[in-house]
Amino acid sequence: PDYISSHVLPLLLGSLETGDFNCRHGALHAIGDICVGLKDRLDQISDDLIYKMNYTLSVLESRGSFRGSGGDEMRGAVCYYIEKISNAGVKLTSETIKVWQEFLNVCIVNPEQFVGVQALSVEALRGFSWQYYTESNPEMWSHIVEHYISQLRHEFTATRVGSALALSVLPGCVLSQDTKSLLKLLTPCTKVQNKSETSLAECRVSAVKAITNVQLVCPCNSEMRAQIYRVLLECLEDYSTDSRGDIGSYVREAAMSCLMKCNKFTLSKGHPTINLTLHEILNNNWYGVPATECGEDRQNQTGGTGSTSSSGPL
């Protein structure tokens, strides 16, 4: 650990300023992984190196790392770097937190970039927000929820998906500003509003994950929990199709998986069953809906696993 922090890290941070794209890309991954490995020994990393870690994004931008055909690859590497730095708990300045949040915002909602970058940026946001957004610094995150909510009905599918996924990973201190309004805005996103939205199954899946996250991280009363269950159960009736086939199966599978999470959470917290029993879920929303050829096995497998693991044998 001493050698890594005193020799290897300075070398890797210096390599971010080279003209070799592959070297910069690999260095970001290595620095992030090293910080996670040194998570319990961050005091061994000098203040100068911590300072350089804070401003890696500025260094990469000055080298034109995000331009051209390799820009998406470098964005993905930066998202990985942010995730690992966050998991390690490296101390960041308020300026760095703001700059990195803006970077993640762009990666999450930009419809023109490679889809893999969006997935990496959402995972980075998960670690970043849970580590650096606390109730003691609301000025850092007070605008975040409004930003993503405003993108939920965007004309580009990728932007809708990214915004909903972002809401599905944010911590409770961020989402609890107005939980009731958030549920009201997310609920329509889980349904087909008109024919033009039939094929947007990915958007509905993301919204299902987001509304489940509200149940898991926010203080919800019995009415809110009932609403969340009702939305998830209604999603099990999504049998929409397009040229790809039964795309509603993606929504049903996500809903069943989220029901499993909600059941486990509700039981672990000792909440009332809100008039929903396992038998009602199975009879009315699993076996009661005629299965289709596409996605039948996957949905039933998810439902069986979820119901038995969350509530035990019948």
Side-chain angles (χ1 to χ4, degrees), residues 29-47:
H29 281 257
I31 294 169
D33 288 333
I34 286 174
C35 287
V36 172
L38 296 176
K39 182 176 181 178
D40 298 326
R41 302 187 180 187
L42 291 178
D43 57 324
Q44 295 182 357
I45 303 177
S46 67
D47 292 340

Side-chain angles (χ1 to χ4, degrees), residues 26-307:
L28 286 170
H29 281 257
I31 294 169
D33 288 333
I34 286 174
C35 287
V36 172
L38 296 176
K39 182 176 181 178
D40 298 326
R41 302 187 180 187
L42 291 178
D43 57 324
Q44 295 182 357
I45 303 177
S46 67
D47 292 340
D48 181 57
L49 293 181
I50 295 293
Y51 176 85
K52 289 182 178 179
M53 289 181 196
N54 272 258
Y55 291 96
T56 51
L57 194 56
S58 300
V59 172
L60 293 171
E61 287 179 338
S62 67
R63 302 296 303 178
S65 300
F66 304 122
R67 301 174 185 171
S69 58
D72 280 341
E73 289 189 31
M74 189 59 71
R75 290 186 188 91
V78 171
C79 290
Y80 182 87
Y81 172 81
I82 292 175
E83 178 187 2
K84 296 304 179 181
I85 291 294
S86 302
N87 291 342
V90 175
K91 185 176 181 180
L92 301 182
T93 65
S94 57
E95 179 184 356
T96 299
I97 292 175
K98 181 179 179 180
V99 170
W100 286 13
Q101 178 62 70
E102 291 176 353
F103 177 83
L104 291 176
N105 287 346
V106 173
C107 291
I108 288 172
V109 303
N110 188 356
E112 298 180 357
Q113 66 190 359
F114 181 61
V115 65
V117 176
Q118 186 178 77
L120 288 170
S121 60
V122 169
E123 285 305 308
L125 178 65
R126 182 196 303 275
F128 180 76
S129 60
W130 281 82
Q131 179 65 42
Y132 299 111
Y133 292 162
T134 63
E135 294 180 355
S136 61
N137 62 350
E139 70 280 356
M140 294 288 185
W141 46 260
S142 58
H143 63 288
I144 296 299
V145 175
E146 292 181 5
H147 170 73
Y148 288 124
I149 285 178
S150 66
Q151 305 292 324
L152 288 175
R153 310 303 296 180
H154 198 276
E155 60 178 313
F156 292 112
T157 302
T159 301
R160 292 189 184 191
V161 171
S163 299
L165 288 176
L167 292 171
S168 74
V169 300
L170 290 174
C173 66
V174 178
L175 295 177
S176 299
Q177 300 176 78
D178 192 350
T179 306
K180 193 170 184 178
S181 297
L182 181 59
L183 288 176
K184 184 178 180 180
L185 292 168
L186 282 172
T187 298
C189 299
T190 64
K191 306 174 183 178
V192 179
Q193 298 295 311
N194 52 64
K195 285 188 177 181
S196 63
E197 295 185 354
T198 301
S199 62
L200 304 183
E202 295 84 358
C203 298
R204 300 195 291 280
V205 169
S206 302
V208 165
K209 294 178 180 178
I211 207 168
T212 302
N213 187 48
V214 174
Q215 156 90 330
L216 300 180
V217 303
C218 296
C220 297
N221 56 36
S222 58
E223 180 183 352
M224 293 178 184
R225 289 195 296 272
Q227 180 183 351
I228 293 171
Y229 267 92
R230 192 178 301 111
V231 169
L232 294 178
L233 292 172
E234 288 175 354
C235 287
L236 295 178
E237 299 178 1
D238 188 333
Y239 279 81
S240 54
T241 60
D242 66 1
S243 58
R244 294 173 290 175
D246 178 23
I247 56 173
S249 64
Y250 298 119
V251 182
R252 299 195 303 274
E253 183 182 11
M256 187 64 77
S257 178
C258 289
L259 276 170
M260 176 183 69
K261 294 179 181 179
C262 289
N263 286 341
K264 286 183 176 180
F265 178 80
T266 301
L267 292 171
S268 68
K269 297 296 182 179
H271 292 311
T273 57
I274 57 174
N275 299 323
L276 282 171
T277 66
L278 176 61
H279 290 288
E280 288 174 334
I281 294 174
L282 294 179
N283 293 333
N284 297 334
N285 294 279
W286 183 18
Y287 293 121
V289 178
T292 58
E293 183 177 354
C294 300
E296 173 188 354
D297 293 338
R298 188 172 67 248
Q299 180 197 354
N300 288 355
Q301 181 180 10
T302 305
T305 303
S307 56

